[in-house]
Amino acid sequence: MFKKNDPDLKVILATDCGSTTTKAILIEKIGDEYRQTYRGEAPTTVEAPFEDVTKGVLNSINEIEDLSGRTFLDGETIIHPYNPDSNTGCDIYISTSSAGGGLQMMVAGVVKEMTAESAERAALGAGAIVMDVLAVNDKRLPHERIERIRVLRPDMILLAGGTDGGDVSKVVEMGEQITAADPKPRLGISYQLPIIFAGNVKARDEIIKTMGDTFSLTICSNIRPTLEHENPWEARGKIQDLFEEHVMAQAPGYNKLIEWCSAPIMPTPAAVGLIIRTIAQMEGINVIGVDIGGATTDVFSYFMVEGEGLFNRSVSANLGMSYSVSNVMAEAGMDNVMRWASFDIEEEDLRNRIKNKMIRPTTIPHLLSELIIEQGLAREALRLAFQQHKELATGLKGVQQQRDIADAFNQESSGATLIKMMQLDLLVGSGGVLSHAPRRSQAMMMMIDAFQPEGTTRMAVDSIFMMPHLGVLTEVHDKAATEVFSKDCIIYTGTCFAPSGAMRPGEKAISYVLELETGEILEGEMNFGEIKLIPYGLNDEGLPLRGTATINPARSLDMGEGRGRQTKTEIYGGVVGIVIDCRGRPIKFAKEQQARVKQVESWTQAFDAYPPLKGGV
Amino acid sequence: MAHAYTPGLRVTRQAEITKERILPLKGEVLVKVGDAVTADTIVAKTELPGNVRIVNVMGMLGCEASEVPEMMVKQPGDKVAKDEIFAEAEPLLPFLKFMSPKVKSPIDGTVEKASEITGQVILREPPQPVVVKAYIDGEIIDVIPDEGVVVKTTATFIQGIFGVGGETNGVIAIAVDGPGEELKPEHIKPEHKGKIVVGGSYVNIETINKGIDVGVAGIISAGMGDQDLRELLGYDLGVAITGHEDLGLSIVTTEGFGRIEMAHRTFALLKEREGLQASISGATQIRAGVIRPEIIIPLTGDLLAAEDEIRVAAKDGVKSGNPVRIIREPNFGKLGKVKRLIPELMTMESETKVRVMEVTLQDGTDFIVPRANVEIIED
């Protein structure tokens, strides 16, 4: 058995059982450092005829065996420990999982914008999908709320409400309504629905009296003990414990998987969140990370606010690239999806193709036109998910703010979003559509189009989708996780310079001087509406080439120092390069169809994003 | 690499099918092990608690929350009729009782709780009966006390790829000449009322509506269009979770969206079973705990094959010679046989590097396709 951070650890097998595919990676100690060497992938096998999540795990490891020419399996058993003589087996096996449909929760509080919102953030932070947020002021009548609870059948309910020592009756009223609804768990009828109470401490006795007999009630500390303070930690921990016990265990074969693993299986979003937070803290920067999966899209952010690092996660439960792809189309609309493509397609044909992807989620685009459509859908899924994230990652609402004379003109209210694009340092993308885009420039372009970063932003992608694996690895071996992360996982694509604001297309937007580490000095001007890619890569050690940029925006544009003010900033090269994006924020499309097609073509050509479209649509 | 793992749907001539029939909450099981049941036999029943009404008695009587229990004319557990007074304020003087404020019940039901914390009274409507039917003709082989039963049958079993509408049953009626023919409104006849109508490559909204008008129990088709689905449902289906729709009939598609010839084996099997009673369900759930729509045609007597023909689809993965269907453009819907599995990664037109196989299509042409873009069809 290996201890945490054991220096003798040589071979690590890790899998992520996603809702669509199971991804296995092999990590080996080569000389003194840990490197990721092989990767295998197979459909997740919750579907008949397999109905056993471990089959997908074995299939993905099987692929690693094929590619490496080594043996890791003895029948349906993973060989432990690594045998250096025969070069077989591994020292440890670890896994993350989002199979099982995730944790579906309802949350309730007293005031929608305060305790209910705090409860929502706590549930999301724990990796849950929030099906509905109930509050006394949610503009629904009590019987409507009760009906809703009964219909949705959540896996768990988090009830918050009241600051400590404050009013008791309103949170008890919410407890009474949940009890009256008497919801039954989604999975299995023989166990009591778990309810976590994280509200006013003074209401505990009444809540126990009201709900204790009907539910499996867990009491924890108040999520919002005062208006000015949010305390989600204990509630998050309780949610994750109950997630392990009640939900993941429902995925077929999961109990076997637990036995195989050398460390507890971590929910995929929790593992990715851990990695994003680690990057931000290590480098002392503001980071946004996104993981776009088959069923859901998770957005993570870490922003320094008044000296404190605030981490937020949002999950858009029905925005994804396979199971949920049809919902992306429904939410975004066909026009928004197809505005990114330079060709037309009949609506009926497009709708049928998207539905076929939904019902057969593991298929991959063979034709270039199908890839372009999928990447258009990805942009819209990312855009919508980010919009939801911004609405959730806010300061606490209802907090009285002290303003001095300097703030007199700052009309920002409490509860404004914490996401300031101009202050974002690094944008990291993960998930199949980004990590496996045939050209890295496609991934960078999708992220710029969807997130529309402003000012100076470094961009990166997860090389082959291994952030979840490394997230769980940090719990077992810090050195291995950190080394593989910096050497094999994160691929810096480059830097995006993008002034915010708008002006007429064709007018001079910026002039720039780029002083590169190579000694080169590049000077130029760009007009509004243009986008340019300047290849600028990595040095001999594989690290981004550096440099300095001086950018003079036009009077109506801002590069970070204010409208029209010169901005000096750092350049980081990457596998794609430096992007200067003068399309303005938000990006505006030409209204006329032909002009739009020309516009999109010029953008994709600037990025060298696609080969010429030869075949049919 | 000798084989690859590829998803496939079951199309089985004869299989032993068991179905758990479970109540949404505990109740009474009405049958016992060994009982023969038909699809419509009620095997278990229970009562769902009635809907709830919350009445703000504190506000209506102008009293404190803690005083509400004292104001109750009816106590928790008591029945109450619509417009019946269930709470009344104490008058200052007894002879002024007729003037004291009173609260009438908005529903027929029972008083559930009078809260001294919130001052609200919870009234509950009478319980709603819920029954679970056997769904398939067969035999009860297990009883789960208070929860439900397991029914077993030997049947032809066909899994669809997508469906809408819940469980239903009826006699199989073939309405088209072949697996490539579209099911059109004129194919639906009055005699199809209560039956499961089998079409070929496609069914559109006009035909579905004709089926609903005639009272058809279900439609089986290879494909349908998403625009028609939207019109049928009245909304754009975002996530593939279906089965709860109340459409007047259930639909099972066997191949997907668009015009696609039904797999010959599927069509031939349905044709062979024409005139037999079938149970179908359109319920589809593609995320966690996958549910695919299904067609179950119980077999009895002479129809039971002498030998056990039960097969399990694709458990060993796809191998050279296996019949497959292409499930993504180009050549979407076409059938062929695996010629060889190519171990090296190959670059497709989209520049995606993937593991591939070579498939000989029915017209004799060879086609290299990503392994992920084929589906095994049971031999």
Side-chain angles (χ1 to χ4, degrees):
Chain A
M1 195 65 194
F2 281 82
K3 300 186 297 275
K4 188 169 180 187
N5 295 325
D6 195 323
D8 293 333
L9 196 64
K10 288 205 167 51
V11 180
I12 302 159
L13 253 181
T15 56
D16 169 56
C17 307
S19 57
T20 316
T21 48
T22 298
K23 283 82 58 178
I25 60 168
L26 182 67
I27 293 170
E28 298 176 84
K29 195 172 188 183
I30 299 169
D32 267 347
E33 64 177 11
Y34 289 91
R35 300 298 299 259
Q36 184 270 326
T37 50
Y38 292 98
R39 178 181 191 283
E41 185 173 308
T44 294
T45 45
V46 285
E47 181 160 5
F50 307 105
E51 287 176 333
D52 180 350
V53 76
T54 61
K55 297 279 179 211
V57 169
L58 293 172
N59 295 342
S60 62
I61 296 173
N62 221 317
E63 202 161 285
I64 289 188
E65 288 187 322
D66 274 359
L67 295 168
S68 66
R70 286 158 56 178
T71 305
F72 296 96
L73 300 173
D74 178 10
E76 295 204 342
T77 314
I78 298 173
I79 300 167
H80 285 278
Y82 170 65
N83 181 339
D85 298 329
S86 59
N87 199 19
T88 56
C90 63
D91 290 321
I92 59 163
Y93 165 69
I94 49 177
S95 189
T96 58
S97 174
S98 55
L103 170 62
Q104 302 186 8
M105 286 184 69
M106 290 184 92
V107 300
V110 171
V111 180
K112 193 170 170 52
E113 297 78 15
M114 296 183 207
T115 46
E117 196 172 285
S118 293
E120 185 184 10
R121 271 194 287 265
L124 286 163
I129 288 164
V130 175
M131 305 164 90
D132 202 349
V133 181
L134 308 171
V136 173
N137 67 334
D138 65 9
K139 295 188 180 152
R140 285 179 279 196
L141 293 169
H143 73 270
E144 289 173 330
R145 248 175 252 136
I146 290 168
E147 184 60 25
R148 181 82 178 140
I149 302 168
R150 290 173 69 160
V151 169
L152 287 184
R153 300 185 74 166
D155 294 323
M156 195 189 300
I157 296 176
L158 171 62
L159 172 61
T163 51
D164 279 345
D167 176 61
V168 168
S169 70
K170 291 294 176 198
V171 69
V172 173
E173 185 181 324
M174 202 45 96
E176 283 174 353
Q177 290 177 19
I178 295 169
T179 310
D182 194 11
K184 301 298 168 202
R186 181 171 58 113
L187 308 159
I189 60 172
S190 52
Y191 77 95
Q192 286 185 315
L193 185 81
I195 304 258
I196 298 168
F197 176 66
N200 183 356
V201 288
K202 254 176 71 185
R204 283 181 182 175
D205 290 346
E206 282 305 324
I207 288 289
I208 293 168
K209 216 161 90 185
T210 308
M211 310 182 83
D213 293 339
T214 318
F215 302 107
S216 165
L217 184 65
T218 305
I219 304 280
C220 71
S221 56
N222 193 350
I223 225 162
R224 196 77 181 260
T226 64
L227 279 182
E228 293 75 22
H229 185 56
E230 197 170 87
N231 167 38
W233 311 112
E234 192 185 343
R236 273 188 196 173
K238 294 269 187 245
I239 292 168
Q240 279 183 346
D241 292 347
L242 293 165
F243 173 69
E244 294 274 339
E245 284 170 37
H246 290 291
V247 184
M248 287 178 82
Q250 305 296 327
Y254 182 79
N255 288 329
K256 216 188 314 176
L257 194 66
I258 291 175
E259 276 177 33
W260 291 357
C261 285
S262 315
I265 295 170
M266 195 182 268
T268 307
V272 177
L274 199 60
I275 276 286
I276 298 286
R277 206 163 20 180
T278 308
I279 307 169
Q281 286 167 343
M282 257 167 39
E283 298 198 26
I285 55 175
N286 296 330
V287 179
I288 291 176
V290 63
D291 176 13
I292 177 165
T296 63
T297 297
D298 288 59
V299 181
F300 308 84
S301 65
Y302 186 94
F303 272 77
M304 291 302 287
V305 180
E306 292 167 6
E308 192 190 350
L310 295 180
F311 174 76
N312 274 289
R313 166 188 174 242
S314 63
V315 54
S316 300
N318 290 327
L319 295 175
M321 291 308 295
S322 57
Y323 297 109
S324 309
V325 70
S326 194
N327 197 54
V328 176
M329 173 79 167
E331 280 199 29
M334 176 162 170
D335 289 348
N336 276 336
V337 172
M338 290 309 292
R339 64 185 170 160
W340 302 104
S342 56
F343 55 85
D344 282 330
I345 183 169
E346 288 289 323
E347 181 173 355
E348 190 182 353
D349 185 13
L350 178 68
R351 295 184 72 95
N352 287 343
R353 288 188 196 206
I354 291 173
K355 278 286 187 299
N356 280 323
K357 170 78 180 175
M358 174 184 81
I359 58 176
R360 293 180 168 108
T362 53
T363 60
I364 46 182
H366 184 149
L367 297 175
L368 178 60
S369 58
E370 294 234 320
L371 180 82
I372 293 171
I373 292 170
E374 269 201 27
Q375 294 190 345
L377 285 159
R379 283 173 171 87
E380 290 304 306
L382 292 169
R383 179 179 69 81
L384 293 168
F386 187 42
Q387 208 167 299
Q388 289 177 10
H389 185 83
K390 283 192 276 194
E391 284 161 16
L392 186 92
T394 62
L396 297 182
K397 289 172 189 150
V399 177
Q400 214 167 12
Q401 293 188 319
Q402 286 187 341
R403 290 170 187 269
D404 56 28
I405 193 71
D407 296 326
F409 297 102
N410 179 2
Q411 290 301 307
E412 204 164 81
S413 60
S414 68
T417 185
L418 301 172
I419 308 300
K420 310 278 187 226
M421 294 310 281
M422 202 55 99
Q423 289 162 22
L424 175 65
D425 297 301
L426 175 64
L427 177 57
V428 187
S430 185
V433 71
L434 295 173
S435 295
H436 298 316
R439 298 185 185 188
R440 294 280 184 212
S441 59
Q442 292 165 0
M444 188 173 185
M445 195 175 179
M446 277 187 270
M447 284 161 64
I448 291 174
D449 289 345
F451 287 85
Q452 304 198 12
E454 297 172 5
T456 306
T457 314
R458 287 174 75 187
M459 317 258 314
V461 289
D462 178 356
S463 62
I464 52 165
F465 190 67
M466 63 167 116
M467 290 214 285
H469 309 77
L470 299 184
V472 68
L473 184 58
T474 55
E475 302 281 90
V476 181
H477 207 284
D478 289 335
K479 180 172 151 51
T482 319
E483 284 181 358
V484 174
F485 179 77
S486 56
K487 293 230 156 45
D488 300 311
C489 171
I490 196 153
I491 302 276
Y492 288 102
T493 52
T495 303
C496 176
F497 297 118
S500 69
M503 55 198 296
R504 268 199 293 253
E507 286 183 349
K508 184 186 155 189
I510 60 158
S511 64
Y512 63 85
V513 180
L514 308 180
E515 296 170 64
L516 306 181
E517 189 185 313
T518 50
E520 238 180 319
I521 295 178
L522 303 176
E523 288 182 53
E525 286 184 354
M526 281 177 68
N527 294 331
F528 193 76
E530 292 175 349
I531 187 165
K532 181 183 270 186
L533 171 67
I534 301 165
Y536 191 53
L538 308 172
N539 63 21
D540 294 340
E541 290 164 27
L543 297 170
L545 287 165
R546 304 285 290 270
T548 313
T550 306
I551 298 175
N552 291 298
R555 270 198 311 184
S556 56
L557 300 181
D558 182 4
M559 266 301 296
E561 295 294 334
R563 283 170 190 257
R565 300 180 76 154
Q566 186 183 75
T567 301
K568 282 195 178 224
T569 178
E570 274 190 286
I571 300 172
Y572 289 84
V575 294
V576 180
I578 301 161
V579 173
I580 307 177
D581 181 359
C582 290
R583 295 177 296 175
R585 297 292 183 260
I587 296 171
K588 283 210 174 88
F589 286 84
K591 288 197 179 94
E592 202 265 317
Q593 170 72 355
Q594 267 193 331
R596 183 196 60 78
V597 167
K598 234 174 122 182
Q599 194 181 27
V600 172
E601 271 173 358
S602 74
W603 298 345
T604 51
Q605 276 163 15
F607 267 85
D608 189 24
Y610 302 111
L613 191 63
K614 286 178 291 191
V617 172
Chain B
M1 175 124 179
H3 60 262
Y5 285 86
T6 302
L9 299 169
R10 285 182 77 185
V11 178
T12 309
R13 191 177 172 74
Q14 181 175 315
E16 203 167 85
I17 304 292
T18 56
K19 286 278 163 192
E20 275 196 355
R21 309 297 295 161
I22 304 291
L23 289 163
L25 68 169
K26 290 196 175 188
E28 188 187 352
V29 175
L30 304 171
V31 289
K32 57 185 189 307
V33 172
D35 282 359
V37 289
T38 66
D40 289 326
T41 306
I42 294 171
V43 294
K45 65 172 186 179
T46 188
E47 289 184 331
L48 280 179
N51 284 329
V52 165
R53 282 298 182 91
I54 295 183
V55 184
N56 184 359
V57 171
M58 174 179 75
M60 293 168 90
L61 297 184
C63 63
E64 294 295 320
S66 58
E67 293 171 334
V68 167
E70 296 161 28
M71 307 286 178
M72 295 296 290
V73 177
K74 298 275 183 177
Q75 299 306 314
D78 288 353
K79 285 207 164 17
V80 64
K82 189 168 188 295
D83 294 328
E84 190 181 352
I85 293 165
F86 70 87
E88 183 177 6
E90 200 63 38
L92 284 173
L93 298 165
F95 68 91
L96 292 175
K97 191 172 170 69
F98 71 97
M99 287 179 67
S100 63
K102 301 169 177 64
V103 186
K104 289 180 179 174
S105 170
I107 54 162
D108 287 325
T110 312
V111 177
E112 186 156 298
K113 186 181 178 183
S115 173
E116 56 189 358
I117 301 295
T118 61
Q120 300 195 334
V121 171
I122 298 172
L123 305 173
R124 192 178 288 277
E125 290 176 354
Q128 303 156 354
V130 174
V131 299
V132 169
K133 293 182 178 177
Y135 172 48
I136 49 174
D137 295 355
E139 184 194 342
I140 304 294
I141 57 161
D142 195 10
V143 168
I144 302 147
D146 307 327
E147 292 187 18
V149 299
V150 180
V151 189
K152 188 180 98 172
T153 193
T154 303
T156 291
F157 180 71
I158 298 169
Q159 265 186 328
I161 187 83
F162 175 80
V164 284
E167 295 170 350
T168 186
N169 61 79
V171 170
I172 294 277
I174 308 291
V176 293
D177 290 335
E181 189 180 354
E182 177 179 342
L183 184 68
K184 296 206 162 144
E186 56 268 30
H187 290 126
I188 308 269
K189 305 271 170 34
E191 58 265 32
H192 287 139
K193 185 176 180 187
K195 292 187 176 171
I196 310 289
V197 177
V198 179
S201 62
Y202 193 72
V203 61
N204 69 13
I205 187 70
E206 284 76 32
T207 310
I208 295 168
N209 284 335
K210 174 89 182 285
I212 294 169
D213 291 346
V214 165
V216 161
I219 290 177
I220 299 167
S221 170
M224 70 183 295
D226 183 41
Q227 277 179 319
D228 289 339
L229 178 68
R230 183 170 56 167
E231 201 176 322
L232 178 67
L233 299 177
Y235 57 88
D236 225 336
L237 183 74
V239 180
I241 298 174
T242 67
H244 56 273
E245 305 81 9
D246 187 11
L247 305 170
L249 50 65
S250 294
I251 299 173
V252 174
T253 64
T254 57
E255 318 298 335
F257 286 87
R259 283 165 206 277
I260 326 158
E261 193 173 45
M262 188 181 286
H264 288 221
R265 178 179 156 76
T266 307
F267 188 82
L269 204 46
L270 288 166
K271 199 166 170 61
E272 201 180 317
R273 302 304 186 208
E274 186 166 20
L276 295 183
Q277 185 76 18
S279 298
I280 70 166
S281 168
T284 309
Q285 185 180 320
I286 300 174
R287 273 187 77 177
V290 174
I291 301 167
R292 290 285 186 186
E294 60 189 12
I295 304 157
I296 300 169
I297 310 166
L299 304 171
T300 52
D302 295 345
L303 290 168
L304 287 169
E307 58 187 285
D308 187 7
E309 285 192 35
I310 297 165
R311 285 168 209 211
V312 180
K315 277 234 166 180
D316 300 326
V318 65
K319 293 175 187 151
S320 296
N322 279 158
V324 289
R325 178 189 288 283
I326 313 292
I327 54 173
R328 186 139 187 185
E329 295 289 352
N331 292 322
F332 173 70
K334 288 194 179 161
L335 303 168
K337 283 201 166 167
V338 178
K339 189 174 177 189
R340 64 189 175 113
L341 297 166
I342 300 169
E344 297 82 27
L345 293 174
M346 279 187 71
T347 304
M348 302 289 100
E349 184 202 291
S350 61
E351 295 186 338
T352 314
K353 282 198 182 68
V354 287
R355 306 196 86 186
V356 296
M357 63 172 73
E358 192 168 14
V359 173
T360 306
L361 299 175
Q362 279 180 330
D363 63 7
T365 55
D366 289 339
F367 175 59
I368 299 225
V369 57
R371 290 184 187 184
N373 291 0
V374 301
E375 188 170 80
I376 298 174
I377 297 172
E378 229 174 321
D379 207 358

